[in-house]
Amino acid sequence: MYSALSAVLFQDSLRTVPQQEDKPFWAAYGVDNDTSSAPDILLISMVLFNSFLESVKSSVDTAVDTATPQNAIDSRFSPWLTPLVYPLARRIVLPFYFGKIEVTGQENLPITGPVILAPTHRARWDAIMVPYATGRTVTGRDLRFMVTADEVKGIQGWFIRRLGGFPVNTKRPTVASLRHGVEVLQNGEMLVIFPEGGIFRDGQLHPLKPGLGRLAIQAEMSQPGLGVQVVPIALDYGEAFPTRGCNVKIQIGKPLKVANYVQGAAKQGAKRFTADLEAALRALAGEATEAEAEMLSAFG
């Protein structure tokens, strides 16, 4: 199956897709002009390959959507798509496109309990790289993703919703999206949140958004002793726009225990947590100041 799928992904048959005037072929499938990278070609190809499966299960999806309240968050793992996409990415797509992928710090990943993975965001490849370094083959766990509302559109959104992802409006987050994030942690799952809030290709860590800290503390306070841990992760492609053959470095830091930040006012605890997470990410990226390095060494 993988050999046939590989042919679909990378041969000229993709060029037979109807093309819109003055636009690349992927525009016909709702992909923005800036998304001509291999991840999006993969998504388009996967949709073409699996379209007949979608038609078979459309009646089931309709029933589920009808039963879901309008303001509720709908996210789930597809029992047929999840076991297909991640092995395909690990065994074919990533080895085909990249050179050496170096992962360090996997011993810092909690195997059980509620976890938030907090990676830097450097490319659209991150959505594949993070599961590669931390997902089912490493921890035995599938990853949930909290992503911006703009990302849950078109083909990419089709995949995200079926791979456990759900949207949040970063400018005006809804109660439903935040509640769903808390429920994911209460269920002891592993949730990915990009704390910078967007892709930054300059290789520098940008100020973290406060939402991750607030969500983590809200979840911990909702069930005393829940044990939420947040794992900082730094990704480096060595290039602003990763090209074929480039090397990738993924560094996984020691987890921060959210329980250490719930004493006192939640807002102040979230600020302290965000500052410590930013320091941890800077240290992984080699940007830590001397004071930050001393503070992190105190955590052991």
Side-chain angles (χ1 to χ4, degrees):
M1 179 184 69
Y2 286 144
S3 59
L5 203 53
S6 178
V8 172
L9 291 175
F10 302 113
Q11 289 182 354
D12 288 341
S13 59
L14 281 174
R15 301 182 182 277
T16 63
V17 176
Q19 185 168 343
Q20 298 180 7
E21 184 177 357
D22 297 326
K23 294 184 179 180
F25 71 89
W26 50 81
Y29 291 92
V31 180
D32 296 335
N33 291 337
D34 188 40
T35 58
S36 57
S37 62
D40 290 311
I41 296 176
L42 167 64
L43 297 184
I44 294 169
S45 304
M46 288 292 294
V47 169
L48 295 175
F49 181 78
N50 291 293
S51 60
F52 76 97
L53 292 175
E54 183 66 12
S55 64
V56 172
K57 63 188 285 294
S58 61
S59 59
V60 177
D61 282 347
T62 300
V64 171
D65 293 340
T66 302
T68 302
Q70 184 175 3
N71 294 328
I73 300 297
D74 175 27
S75 70
R76 58 190 182 275
F77 288 112
S78 168
W80 57 271
L81 187 60
T82 302
L84 177 65
V85 169
Y86 289 128
L88 172 69
R90 170 174 286 273
R91 299 173 186 176
I92 297 179
V93 177
L94 296 182
F96 172 85
Y97 194 83
F98 290 97
K100 181 181 179 181
I101 302 177
E102 179 184 356
V103 183
T104 59
Q106 288 178 321
E107 68 277 5
N108 295 322
L109 293 168
I111 303 300
T112 61
V115 176
I116 298 178
L117 301 180
T120 56
H121 209 359
R122 298 294 170 262
R124 299 191 70 183
W125 284 103
D126 295 348
I128 302 177
M129 285 295 178
V130 174
Y132 173 88
T134 67
R136 182 182 293 188
T137 58
V138 179
T139 61
R141 312 174 74 175
D142 289 319
L143 309 185
R144 306 296 293 269
F145 280 80
M146 176 182 280
V147 299
T148 62
D150 291 339
E151 293 182 87
V152 191
K153 295 180 180 178
I155 292 174
Q156 179 170 285
W158 186 93
F159 272 84
I160 286 173
R161 290 185 181 277
R162 287 161 176 79
L163 294 174
F166 59 96
V168 61
N169 187 324
T170 54
K171 295 180 180 179
R172 299 180 62 182
T174 64
V175 173
S177 61
L178 297 178
R179 182 183 295 126
H180 189 66
V182 170
E183 291 174 351
V184 167
L185 296 174
Q186 289 174 339
N187 291 334
E189 297 187 68
M190 187 175 278
L191 174 62
V192 180
I193 302 177
F194 294 101
E196 292 171 286
I199 296 176
F200 295 96
R201 301 183 185 275
D202 57 6
Q204 302 298 315
L205 183 70
H206 288 247
L208 307 188
K209 303 296 183 182
L212 187 155
R214 293 174 182 172
L215 175 66
I217 287 179
Q218 182 178 345
E220 186 67 32
M221 295 180 68
S222 70
Q223 291 185 14
L226 183 60
V228 179
Q229 300 185 75
V230 179
V231 180
I233 301 174
L235 295 100
D236 181 18
Y237 298 88
E239 302 176 358
F241 293 88
T243 57
R244 186 178 179 189
C246 74
N247 296 326
V248 185
K249 188 175 183 180
I250 305 173
Q251 300 180 85
I252 303 170
K254 294 182 179 180
L256 301 178
K257 296 182 179 180
V258 180
N260 295 334
Y261 300 87
V262 298
Q263 295 81 10
K267 187 174 182 180
Q268 294 303 317
K271 286 185 177 180
R272 289 191 296 112
F273 170 82
T274 302
D276 288 352
L277 176 60
E278 185 167 328
L281 287 169
R282 289 192 185 281
L284 289 175
E287 300 179 17
T289 64
E290 184 176 346
E292 288 173 335
E294 291 179 359
M295 179 196 68
L296 290 171
S297 64
F299 282 98

